[in-house]
């Protein structure tokens, strides 16, 4: 899941200062991890230890304040106070950015889809929120099981139902900020499909603008499973995150990689 976290950190600088080029420093001194990393770690912790996934999102969300969306922040406040843990029918891309570890832990396509649904429905129980989580989890599962890009593309079209009939170059000039699954998950998938390396997938994602950290997080999740992450990029990523996160990553990789 280091690919998710790398994408989040790389894209963090450009989330509200979009650029439309692939020529940028991969790591900037202003880089930081965001809510995408926090909740990805929470998902991994849940996969390792079981229990109610909403409790993991609540625990990590409270202990690591970040740029959570308004609706998730309100859910987090209610869940922390134990007054209400009801989902809020969201189709935001938060369900897609935190699901990457599922693709590594699942032993089958069906398990990837099922566990992705579990990660989504505690908050993002809108059909598009669930579909976004399923798409990223399935793409990661297929990539790590050595499926070709064409096979992954077909699955995203026929199993998930996304229209991927566009190119990064075609959408780059007009793509704007959007945080809904249906407006960002297909784009992140195409960023991976058109890439030539792990780093290139991140550069594709940042270059189209929009919700840059989440786009790069989702594209990075799939790209890691397909290409692997270069050692120097991994080491740089780890320098941005706390020791607790590194311990979860180490345990997760020991069990699932």
């Amino acid at each position: 899941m280091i690919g998710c976290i790398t994408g989040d950190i790389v894209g963090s600088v450009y989330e509200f200062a979009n650029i439309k080029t692939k020529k940028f420093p991969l790591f900037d001194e202003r880089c930081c991890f965001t809510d995408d990393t926090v909740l990805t770690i929470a998902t991994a912790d849940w996969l390792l230890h079981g229990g109610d996934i909403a409790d993991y999102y609540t625990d990590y969300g409270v202990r690591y304040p970040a740029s959570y969306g308004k609706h998730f922040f309100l859910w987090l406040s209610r869940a922390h106070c134990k007054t209400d843990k009801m989902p809020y029918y969201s189709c935001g891309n938060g369900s897609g950015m935190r699901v990457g570890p599922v693709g590594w832990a699942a032993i089958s396509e069906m398990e990837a889809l099922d566990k992705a649904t579990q990660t989504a429905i505690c908050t993002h129980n809108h059909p598009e929120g669930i579909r976004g989580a399923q798409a990223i989890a399935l793409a990661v599962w297929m990539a790590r099981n050595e499926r070709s890009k064409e096979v992954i593309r077909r699955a995203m079209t026929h199993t998930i139902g996304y229209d991927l009939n566009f190119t990064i170059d075609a959408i780059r000039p007009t793509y704007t900020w959007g945080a809904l699954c249906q407006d960002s998950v297909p784009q992140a998938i195409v960023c991976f499909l058109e890439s030539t390396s792990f780093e290139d997938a991140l550069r594709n994602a940042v270059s189209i603008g929009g919700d840059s950290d989440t786009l790069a997080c989702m594209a990075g999740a799939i790209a890691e499973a397909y290409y692997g992450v270069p050692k120097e990029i991994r080491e740089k990523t780890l320098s941005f995150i706390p020791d607790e996160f590194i311990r979860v990553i180490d345990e997760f990789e020991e069990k699932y990689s």
Side-chain angles (χ1 to χ4, degrees):
M1 61 179 169
I2 199 73
C4 314
I5 297 168
T6 303
D8 175 41
I9 291 169
V10 168
S12 64
V13 176
Y14 306 104
E15 181 180 10
F16 300 110
N18 285 173
I19 55 174
K20 295 285 185 173
T21 177
K22 294 172 67 172
K23 298 179 179 179
F24 58 89
L26 192 64
F27 290 100
D28 186 286
E29 62 181 10
R30 299 167 295 163
C31 284
C32 62
F33 70 86
T34 78
D35 55 321
D36 300 35
T37 292
V38 176
L39 298 181
T40 294
I41 294 291
T43 299
D45 204 348
W46 168 71
L47 289 166
L48 286 165
H49 303 115
D52 183 349
I53 192 168
D55 290 340
Y56 286 84
Y57 291 150
T58 302
D59 176 52
Y60 276 89
V62 169
R63 289 193 295 116
Y64 291 96
S67 53
Y68 302 112
K70 177 179 68 174
H71 296 296
F72 181 84
F73 181 78
L74 292 173
W75 176 89
L76 183 62
S77 300
R78 295 194 302 270
H80 178 56
C81 296
K82 302 186 185 305
T83 58
D84 178 15
K85 286 200 298 185
M86 292 295 292
Y88 47 93
Y89 203 59
S90 174
C91 59
N93 57 19
S95 62
M97 57 81 163
R98 67 194 188 197
V99 77
V102 166
W104 290 94
I107 61 173
S108 68
E109 291 187 23
M110 288 305 299
E111 186 178 14
L113 295 172
D114 178 63
K115 285 190 179 296
T117 300
Q118 292 179 58
T119 69
I121 60 174
C122 61
T123 53
H124 293 58
N125 58 331
H126 187 286
E128 289 292 349
I130 295 170
R131 181 161 70 151
Q134 289 181 327
I136 298 300
L138 180 59
V140 171
W141 186 91
M142 297 183 77
R144 79 171 179 87
N145 282 283
E146 300 184 343
R147 303 300 196 265
S148 70
K149 287 185 177 181
E150 186 52 42
V151 170
I152 295 172
R153 180 185 288 274
R154 287 201 301 269
M156 295 300 103
T157 300
H158 299 301
T159 302
I160 301 299
Y162 280 147
D163 178 6
L164 303 183
N165 188 29
F166 60 88
T167 67
I168 296 304
D169 285 345
I171 68 171
R172 186 179 288 112
T174 57
Y175 184 74
T176 56
W177 212 96
L180 303 181
C181 277
Q182 56 268 42
D183 294 333
S184 57
V185 176
Q187 288 76 11
I189 293 167
V190 173
C191 286
F192 156 71
L193 291 172
E194 290 191 11
S195 66
T196 59
S197 66
F198 174 76
E199 180 177 334
D200 191 54
L202 303 189
R203 292 187 180 279
N204 280 342
V206 171
S207 76
I208 65 173
D211 191 3
S212 298
D213 62 328
T214 300
L215 284 162
C217 176
M218 295 187 292
I222 311 169
E224 175 194 8
Y226 190 83
Y227 299 111
V229 178
K231 181 180 179 180
E232 63 275 15
I233 292 179
R234 175 189 175 88
E235 291 177 349
K236 186 67 174 178
T237 296
L238 294 177
S239 72
F240 284 95
I241 61 177
D243 289 343
E244 180 185 9
F245 291 7
I246 295 173
R247 286 193 294 270
V248 174
I249 292 169
D250 288 344
E251 184 181 357
F252 188 86
E253 292 182 340
E254 182 177 354
K255 183 171 183 177
Y256 293 118
S257 288

